[in-house]
Amino acid sequence: YKTRLEFFKSGFIFLLKHMFRILILLGTLFLLPISSVSSSNFNYGSGFAAQSALAEKSLINAMEKVDDRIYAAGEHGIIIYSDDLGDSWTQAESVPYTSTITDLSCPTKKSCWVVGHDAVILHSNDYGKTWVKQYEDIDWDAPLLSIHMFDEREGIALGAFALSLRTSDGGKSWGYLFVDDDEFQPHLNFAYADSQVWRKSAMNEAYAVGELGKYYLSDDRGMSWMAVETGYEGSYWAGIKVDAGQSLLLGMSGNLTLINDYGTEDIIPSDKITTLACYESGIYAGECKTLAFERLFIGSKNSLTNAIILDDGRIAISGNGGSVSVVDLFRKNNIETCVRSDRLSNTSIVYLGSDEFLLAGENGFRKHSMTECYENFTSEDSTSQDSYFTIDLG
C-alpha cells in the first residue's frame, strides 16, 4: 500500500511540474494555422477559396477539356486543372470565392469563366492560375447554373428562377437577357452550343434546357430565344447537339429526348411527336420551326448529367449512381450503359481517347472504360458489381 501511494504521489508531482509545459504545447497546436496541422488552408475570413492538397478529392461539379488541358471546378470555390489527362492536378492560386461553383466554360486554354451560387461569375485570363470576380448578386440568393462562352467576348449565363445574363465584351459587363416569360420562372439548368465548330451553323446557334421539360434555342447567340414545350414532365439537366438540326436532351431517371428540326420541305415520319414553336421577340419575331421528339431510355433509372461527342460521332453521357452511357445513333443504333460498382454520382465526363474516359463528381475523379465494365459484368471470374445494359433503338 505504501509503495503504491508513493508511486501515485511521485506521478502527481511530476504532472504538476510539467503541467505548464503541456498547456503551452497544447495551446501552440490549437493556435497554429490550419495549414500547419493539416493538408488544407481554408483562408478563413479572406473571401478566397480554400487551398488544399486534397482539392481533387472534393465534389467536382463541372469539367471541360481544352486542347491538352482539363479544367474542373466544384465546392468551396475550388478550381483545378490537369495537363496529363487527369493523373495529377494543380489548384488555382487565387480564387476570390468560397461557395459552390456549378459550371465552367473555356473558349481557349488561356481564358476561362465559371459560375456559381450568389449569381457569381469569375474569369481567368492566365491559364487558370488567378481569377477575378466579374459579376455577383448576393441579394438574388440563387445560383447561376450554367455558362457558355461562344468566344472570348460573347457568352451567356443562365440559372435558377430563369435568371439569364449575356455579355458581349468579355464579361466586363453582364446584362439581363430574356429567355422565358413563363410566370413559373423555371430554372434554366444548362446552356450549350454546337461543339462541332466546322459546321456553318456552329457560330451563332445557342441552346438551353431546364425545368418542366423545356427546351430553348437561339439563332443569334442568345439575343432572341424560342421556348419549346417538349411534352416531357421532368427536368432536363443538360443537352448536346449531335448533328445538324438534331439535339439530345438529358433528363431524369434515364430518360433522353432526341429532337429533330424539320424544314418546310422535309417529310416528317408519322410516328414522331411534333410541335410548332415560334420566336416571340427579337429579330426572328414570327419565325417558326417544326420540331419532332423521340423518347429514349438508357436501360437504367439514373438521372443524366453531362454529354460529349466522341471522335466517331457517338455520344458519351455521365449520370448519377455510377452510370455511364454511350449512344450510337448512326451505326449500331443502340445505347450501351454501364452502372459502375462504385455507384458514385458523375457530374461530368471527358474523353481521353481509345476506350478511356475521365469521370468527375463525388469524391473527385476516376478513369473509366466501357470495355472493362462489360468484361467485369460478363466474366464468371470477376468479383466486380458492375452492371451493363444494351438497348436496341431499332
Side-chain angles (χ1 to χ4, degrees), residues 156 158 178-179 188 190 192-193 204-209 214-230 241 245-247 249 259-262 275 277-281 284 287-293:
I156 54 176
L158 310 176
F178 174 84
V179 175
L188 303 173
F190 191 74
Y192 66 99
N204 296 319
E205 290 181 350
Y207 305 91
V209 294
K214 285 201 169 186
Y215 167 65
Y216 308 89
L217 55 92
S218 170
D219 287 305
D220 56 5
R221 293 194 168 199
M223 294 295 293
S224 306
W225 289 87
M226 176 186 294
V228 180
E229 302 281 352
T230 65
K241 183 172 180 181
Q246 192 174 59
S247 275
L249 311 186
I259 292 186
N260 284 280
D261 181 358
Y262 286 94
T275 189
C278 304
Y279 285 105
E280 296 180 1
S281 63
Y284 293 101
E287 183 180 334
C288 300
K289 295 179 183 289
T290 300
L291 302 168
F293 313 112

Side-chain angles (χ1 to χ4, degrees), residues 124-311:
S124 172
N125 198 39
D126 60 0
Y127 299 91
K129 293 181 181 179
T130 62
W131 296 74
V132 297
K133 191 176 293 183
Q134 288 190 333
Y135 183 89
E136 184 179 32
D137 187 351
I138 58 175
D139 294 329
W140 180 254
D141 194 27
L144 282 166
L145 299 172
S146 186
I147 184 170
H148 177 77
M149 297 299 296
F150 300 97
D151 51 38
E152 293 182 88
R153 292 192 59 80
E154 289 189 281
I156 54 176
L158 310 176
F161 306 110
L163 176 61
S164 315
L165 303 170
R166 189 180 190 279
T167 184
S168 59
D169 56 11
K172 293 179 181 178
S173 62
W174 288 87
Y176 285 108
L177 175 68
F178 174 84
V179 175
D180 195 343
D181 62 354
D182 191 320
E183 63 180 12
F184 181 72
Q185 292 184 311
H187 298 336
L188 303 173
N189 294 327
F190 191 74
Y192 66 99
D194 194 332
S195 60
Q196 307 293 315
V197 294
W198 48 265
R199 290 193 183 107
K200 186 178 180 180
S201 63
M203 183 179 295
N204 296 319
E205 290 181 350
Y207 305 91
V209 294
E211 284 188 306
L212 307 177
K214 285 201 169 186
Y215 167 65
Y216 308 89
L217 55 92
S218 170
D219 287 305
D220 56 5
R221 293 194 168 199
M223 294 295 293
S224 306
W225 289 87
M226 176 186 294
V228 180
E229 302 281 352
T230 65
Y232 176 63
E233 295 181 353
S235 291
Y236 288 122
W237 301 119
I240 188 168
K241 183 172 180 181
V242 297
D243 203 354
Q246 192 174 59
S247 275
L248 190 64
L249 311 186
L250 284 56
M252 304 168 66
S253 302
N255 289 300
L256 294 165
T257 300
L258 183 63
I259 292 186
N260 284 280
D261 181 358
Y262 286 94
T264 56
E265 304 298 325
D266 294 332
I267 299 175
I268 304 174
S270 59
D271 61 339
K272 301 291 185 182
I273 304 170
T274 61
T275 189
L276 182 68
C278 304
Y279 285 105
E280 296 180 1
S281 63
I283 63 175
Y284 293 101
E287 183 180 334
C288 300
K289 295 179 183 289
T290 300
L291 302 168
F293 313 112
E294 184 177 352
R295 311 288 184 217
L296 307 177
F297 179 58
I298 67 167
S300 178
K301 291 188 175 182
N302 299 65
S303 292
L304 308 173
T305 56
N306 184 231
I308 54 172
I309 293 283
L310 305 185
D311 296 340

